Amino acid sequence: MNTFSMKRVALFLFAGVLSLTVLQTAAAQDANQSHTVDVKVQSINDIIAPGDVTIDISPSNGDFTGTATTSDGYDVTSNAPGGKKVQVKVTNENNVAELNSLKILSAGTSAPGEASANDVTLVGDGASDGTQDLTTGFTGVDVDNLSVEFEATVSPDFDPTGNNAEVTVQYTLTGN
C-alpha cells in the first residue's frame, strides 16, 4: 500500500470516528427540556362615569318624583386582589337645596362582577349626604355600560322656570 492510500484510509477512519462521536453525543442528550415563562400583569384600577342624566318630573296627582336610568352606563376595570368597590358623592352642590332628595336606586343599578348595588341617598332634605358605597366589594372585573337609576323628589314650590337643580356626582373606585 502506498503512502497516499494509507493517508486516505486514515482520513476515512478519522471521519468515521468523529461522526460516531457526534452522533453518540446527540443521542445522549435529554429529550425533556424546559424553561420558565413569567407573565407579569400591570395593576389596573379604572372607572369611567356614565353620561349625563336628566330626570323629568311631571307632577300629576301631587307626585313630584321622577326617575331616569343612564343611557350609557359606567365602566369598571380592576384586577386588585384585595377587592374594590364603587363609591359616589355629590361634588357640585350648586342647586341641591332645590331637591328634597336625589337617590340612586339599587333596583335599576348594575354592579360589576359578584358585587351588588346599594340604594344610595346622594341628597336628602336639600343637603349632600357625603360619600356613599354604591356597590359591595368585587374582584377581577372588566365590564362596560353598567346602568345607574336615579330618583329625584322636589317639593311643590320648585320653580320650573328658574334654575334647574343640577348636581355633579363623582364615582370613585376604592379599596374594599
Side-chain angles (χ1 to χ4, degrees), residues 80-123:
K84 292 288 183 181
K85 61 185 172 184
V86 177
Q87 291 187 324
V88 289
K89 70 177 178 178
V90 171
T91 60
N92 176 2
E93 301 183 28
N94 288 342
N95 297 313
V96 296
E98 295 185 28
L99 296 173
N100 284 358
S101 71
L102 177 62
K103 298 178 180 179
I104 295 178
L105 305 177
S106 63
T109 299
S110 302
E114 66 276 9
S116 59
N118 299 316
D119 283 329
V120 174
T121 300
L122 295 168
V123 176

Side-chain angles (χ1 to χ4, degrees), residues 14-49:
F14 176 73
V17 170
L18 181 62
S19 64
L20 283 176
T21 304
V22 170
L23 181 63
Q24 183 179 10
T25 303
Q29 290 180 352
D30 187 0
N32 295 313
Q33 295 291 316
S34 63
H35 70 117
T36 301
V37 176
D38 188 14
V39 178
K40 293 187 177 190
V41 178
Q42 300 300 314
S43 177
I44 185 167
N45 291 294
D46 189 35
I47 187 165
I48 299 172

Side-chain angles (χ1 to χ4, degrees), residues 1-16:
M1 200 184 270
N2 66 21
T3 310
F4 181 73
S5 294
M6 282 183 63
K7 285 182 182 180
R8 186 181 278 174
V9 169
L11 184 60
F12 281 128
L13 284 175
F14 176 73

Side-chain angles (χ1 to χ4, degrees), residues 46-157:
D46 189 35
I47 187 165
I48 299 172
D52 295 341
V53 176
T54 299
I55 302 173
D56 288 319
I57 298 176
S58 301
S60 62
N61 301 325
D63 185 8
F64 287 84
T65 301
T67 60
T69 304
T70 56
S71 59
D72 58 337
Y74 69 104
D75 305 340
V76 177
T77 303
S78 176
N79 60 357
K84 292 288 183 181
K85 61 185 172 184
V86 177
Q87 291 187 324
V88 289
K89 70 177 178 178
V90 171
T91 60
N92 176 2
E93 301 183 28
N94 288 342
N95 297 313
V96 296
E98 295 185 28
L99 296 173
N100 284 358
S101 71
L102 177 62
K103 298 178 180 179
I104 295 178
L105 305 177
S106 63
T109 299
S110 302
E114 66 276 9
S116 59
N118 299 316
D119 283 329
V120 174
T121 300
L122 295 168
V123 176
D125 295 327
S128 170
D129 276 11
T131 302
Q132 306 285 322
D133 289 344
L134 177 62
T135 71
T136 60
F138 54 86
T139 57
V141 297
D142 182 18
V143 62
D144 296 337
N145 214 20
L146 296 165
S147 63
V148 184
E149 183 178 35
F150 290 89
E151 176 187 82
T153 304
V154 297
S155 67
D157 65 348

